[in-house]
Amino acid sequence: MESQRRTLVHWFRKGLRVHDNPALERVFSTARASPEKFYVRPIFILDPGILDWMQIGANRWRFLQQTLADLDKQLRQLKSRLYVVRGKPIEVFPQLFKRWQVELLTFESDIETYAQQRDASVQKLARTADVKVDIHCSHTIYNPEVVIAKNLGKAPITYQKFLSIVDQLKIPAVLERPKVLTMNMKPPADELELEDANVYDCPTLEELVKRPEELGVNKFAGGETEALRRMADSLGDELWVANFEKPKTAPNSLEPSTTVLSPYLKFGCLSSRVLHKRLREILARQPKHSKPPVSLIGQLMWREFYYTVAAADPNFDRMLGNAYSLQIPWQEKPEHLEAWTHGRTGYPFIDAIMRQLRQEGWIHHLARHAVACFLTRGDLWISWEEGQRVFEQLLLDQDWALNAGNWMWLSASAFFHQYFRVYSPVAFGKKTDPSGDYIRKYVPELAKYPSGCIYEPWKATLSAQREYGCVLGEDYPHRIVNHDVVHKENIKRMSAAYKVNRQVRTGKMEDEEDEQEQISTGKRKARAVGTSAKSKRIKNVA
């Protein structure tokens, strides 16, 4: 009888796509096998409390809104739709289980600490309601739990060790787009839909964006359709793919010099497994190509690495209690943090990067390196946790594992230990944009400054500043620190912190010997370079 038909629910969280989505495919294939028994309802739960919890910026909310609208469009092509449910998961699921007579709930696994706690609560509710739960790992290429198990129960804490582990693992198969459902699988309206036909509709931009004045230019539209289009465009030039090397791309080009696929991977609009497969197919046709860690596949493997190490530590996004992070006595400097956050440090290259981030929601990975080093060990001596929070708010591609991992790396708190290699807030930008066009775009106050002093406006005389239409201290801030002085002081602080950490740590990390070897090797190379060649060898370093 019709009343006996049960409902199969797929819960979208990340993985906001229909291609290569095993948890979604499980629901679709089960329904197709027994169309007389089941209805299908793919859902997304819009938790009103998440805005306060994550402090998500306006640009990310817009990206999510566009992504959900596109996902609904894709599902409708499959004779289904997206049901957006408002409320907290632990409150709405008991209602949904009963209202829809749910038999099966599927979703994609998530390593984030809050997500695991949430999912454990939902699974408990499902058991109480006699609902089967089926969880699939598809946000990464490799299952972090499998990698850790292969490494004898511990996360590999060096990139090369990680590569050696996954080289032994089978690459998961990529799934095709689900087949179209038959019309009789479309569920009838429930009691809420009978009262309000739009109750499960996708959110509007006005519903999600509480501070519309913060919306910047919409350079990167959200959604699976755009993700697949961008992937096709990015990988269309196979020679470019083969020759790609991360350090050889420009952090301050006026248009992105990389693929900008990271936001689509973060939201799961694009399957990392599909991208990985496409890259492998291209490289198989190119006898000469770059290799990890600098190649495009190498960049994907960095993502896999950080997901794996993060999965092994619930405190991965904080310094205290973090098995990987050194304990460093960072200082609280609210005024300096505010200046850095809003691009008012007085260093045009740093400020241009932070303003681009706020306006567009994306910055080049090497630009992230520059501003992260500046905030932490390079200049301001402020905790990487503070920078992580700002990136969490502003970056379209903010990803819990990658965000924390990269901040630890760039602050030399974990994974990277050559703390004496400091990015110059002046020289690094000049390397790829000597004329300063990037600064002129994002710091328009300095647009009339000549290339000779646009990176160092403090070198212009007062009369010259007036001639250029930007007086320091009035139209653009003075430097909040003197890099030439503070970075040397901070290197000494890092050296002292490293010594203290070595003394107090009760258990040595597996890569401690590697850490010392990195430091020793780096110092030997620096001494061997010589005065005349030093600027060429370490020209991005202060």
Side-chain angles (χ1 to χ4, degrees):
M1 295 177 61
E2 189 71 15
S3 61
Q4 294 177 329
R5 292 180 70 173
R6 309 276 292 176
T7 301
L8 309 176
V9 174
H10 171 66
W11 179 18
F12 284 102
R13 299 101 64 82
K14 298 174 184 175
L16 299 175
R17 64 180 185 274
V18 299
H19 75 274
D20 190 38
N21 192 329
L24 177 65
E25 174 58 32
R26 170 67 198 283
V27 163
F28 271 53
S29 60
T30 301
R32 285 196 304 271
S34 302
E36 73 287 352
K37 293 182 179 180
F38 300 116
Y39 295 123
V40 172
R41 287 188 188 258
I43 70 169
F44 180 87
I45 299 179
L46 189 61
D47 185 347
I50 201 169
L51 177 60
D52 297 328
W53 180 78
M54 291 192 71
Q55 289 296 305
I56 298 174
N59 289 328
R60 272 210 11 242
W61 277 121
R62 177 174 59 193
F63 192 96
L64 175 62
Q65 190 272 332
Q66 293 172 339
T67 295
L68 293 177
D70 185 71
L71 179 59
D72 182 52
K73 180 180 178 181
Q74 303 304 314
L75 288 168
R76 288 180 186 273
Q77 292 175 0
L78 299 174
K79 304 303 181 184
S80 183
R81 61 160 292 186
L82 181 65
Y83 295 81
V84 177
V85 182
R86 277 80 172 169
K88 296 182 180 298
I90 60 172
E91 295 175 359
V92 301
F93 267 119
Q95 302 169 23
L96 297 182
F97 291 155
K98 183 178 181 180
R99 185 186 311 149
W100 293 344
Q101 294 184 304
V102 177
E103 176 161 311
L104 171 67
L105 170 67
T106 71
F107 55 84
E108 183 180 70
S109 61
D110 194 331
I111 65 161
E112 297 187 35
T113 302
Y114 94 94
Q116 293 199 327
Q117 295 169 348
R118 173 201 63 197
D119 294 351
S121 298
V122 169
Q123 287 177 271
K124 184 176 180 180
L125 293 171
R127 285 195 296 270
T128 301
D130 198 25
V131 174
K132 183 179 180 181
V133 176
D134 194 4
I135 305 172
H136 294 257
C137 177
S138 55
H139 194 59
T140 50
I141 301 165
Y142 301 99
N143 187 331
E145 294 181 1
V146 173
V147 178
I148 292 170
K150 188 71 173 178
N151 195 44
L152 304 179
K154 294 182 179 180
I157 56 177
T158 65
Y159 182 76
Q160 290 302 326
K161 178 66 173 177
F162 170 81
L163 292 183
S164 70
I165 297 295
V166 298
D167 281 348
Q168 305 171 44
L169 300 178
K170 182 180 179 180
I171 300 174
V174 170
L175 299 180
E176 298 297 327
R177 183 183 176 95
K179 295 179 181 178
V180 178
L181 295 174
T182 58
M183 287 302 294
N184 64 348
M185 295 182 204
K186 183 179 180 180
D190 67 13
E191 54 263 40
L192 295 186
E193 290 173 285
L194 291 174
E195 295 178 5
D196 179 2
N198 302 318
V199 66
Y200 297 124
D201 282 1
C202 289
T204 63
L205 190 63
E206 291 72 24
E207 182 181 355
L208 292 186
V209 178
K210 306 304 182 184
R211 298 183 296 275
E213 69 278 5
E214 294 182 2
L215 284 171
V217 59
N218 188 18
K219 293 189 70 171
F220 312 109
E224 179 178 16
T225 300
E226 175 63 15
L228 294 174
R229 185 204 65 78
R230 181 172 285 275
M231 179 181 69
D233 286 355
S234 298
L235 306 189
D237 185 346
E238 296 195 0
L239 189 59
W240 179 84
V241 172
N243 293 331
F244 179 93
E245 292 187 23
K246 173 183 170 181
K248 294 182 180 180
T249 54
N252 46 5
S253 55
L254 297 183
E255 292 298 329
S257 58
T258 56
T259 64
V260 195
L261 289 174
S262 54
Y264 303 94
L265 291 168
K266 177 267 182 295
F267 281 91
C269 306
L270 175 64
S271 162
S272 60
R273 306 191 305 187
V274 167
L275 177 58
H276 186 237
K277 180 182 179 182
R278 285 289 308 279
L279 289 173
R280 287 188 290 112
E281 289 170 348
I282 290 172
L283 297 185
R285 295 190 289 267
Q286 299 289 334
K288 294 183 179 180
H289 57 78
S290 57
K291 293 180 173 57
V294 297
S295 63
L296 281 174
I297 281 186
Q299 301 310 295
L300 268 180
M301 289 301 105
W302 276 115
R303 180 177 185 268
E304 298 287 312
F305 167 73
Y306 280 133
Y307 258 82
T308 302
V309 292
D313 194 328
N315 296 319
F316 193 68
D317 60 346
R318 65 202 67 184
M319 183 173 73
L320 292 177
N322 187 327
Y324 307 108
S325 179
L326 297 178
Q327 305 300 300
I328 297 174
W330 306 108
Q331 295 178 351
E332 293 187 9
K333 301 177 181 179
E335 292 183 0
H336 281 182
L337 176 61
E338 179 75 6
W340 176 85
T341 299
H342 292 277
R344 297 194 295 265
T345 67
Y347 282 90
F349 178 55
I350 299 298
D351 292 343
I353 295 169
M354 294 305 295
R355 294 186 191 187
Q356 181 190 18
L357 170 61
R358 186 167 293 276
Q359 292 172 30
E360 301 175 7
W362 180 88
I363 49 177
H364 189 281
H365 46 266
L366 295 179
R368 303 178 195 204
H369 291 194
V371 295
C373 182
F374 186 90
L375 179 71
T376 57
R377 61 188 173 87
D379 294 78
L380 301 186
W381 200 252
I382 294 174
S383 174
W384 60 269
E385 293 176 80
E386 298 289 355
Q388 176 187 238
R389 276 189 278 272
V390 173
F391 275 24
E392 181 179 64
Q393 177 185 2
L394 299 178
L395 272 176
L396 293 178
D397 61 13
Q398 189 284 135
D399 196 309
W400 185 75
L402 277 67
N403 195 24
N406 279 317
W407 273 100
M408 280 187 275
W409 178 292
L410 294 164
S411 64
S413 295
F415 311 118
F416 173 79
H417 304 287
Q418 293 182 29
Y419 55 80
F420 44 84
R421 296 184 64 84
V422 176
Y423 287 89
S424 167
V426 174
F428 186 48
K430 280 185 176 180
K431 177 182 175 182
T432 50
D433 181 28
S435 64
D437 290 339
Y438 177 78
I439 292 172
R440 296 179 212 284
K441 178 177 180 179
Y442 294 104
V443 190
E445 308 98 294
L446 300 173
K448 294 182 180 179
Y449 271 63
S451 57
C453 63
I454 194 168
Y455 282 89
E456 302 168 281
W458 53 87
K459 290 189 174 181
T461 63
L462 181 58
S463 61
Q465 292 174 28
R466 288 172 177 156
E467 179 184 346
Y468 304 147
C470 181
V471 176
L472 301 189
E474 297 179 11
D475 307 303
Y476 181 71
H478 291 291
R479 291 181 292 174
I480 58 176
V481 293
N482 185 331
H483 172 76
D484 293 337
V485 174
V486 297
H487 91 272
K488 296 175 183 176
E489 296 174 350
N490 289 345
I491 288 175
K492 294 177 182 178
R493 286 174 169 173
M494 287 297 291
S495 178
Y498 267 59
K499 289 179 182 177
V500 170
N501 274 269
R502 282 196 294 270
Q503 292 170 358
V504 302
R505 285 158 73 187
T506 56
K508 294 184 178 181
M509 295 172 64
E510 291 179 4
D511 68 337
E512 193 164 79
E513 291 183 2
D514 178 61
E515 167 190 323
Q516 294 306 310
E517 178 62 25
Q518 282 192 50
I519 294 173
S520 300
T521 301
K523 287 182 177 179
R524 286 197 301 270
K525 288 183 177 179
R527 286 195 297 267
V529 167
T531 304
S532 61
K534 187 173 183 180
S535 62
K536 296 179 182 178
R537 173 65 180 87
I538 320 177
K539 53 189 171 183
N540 67 321
V541 177

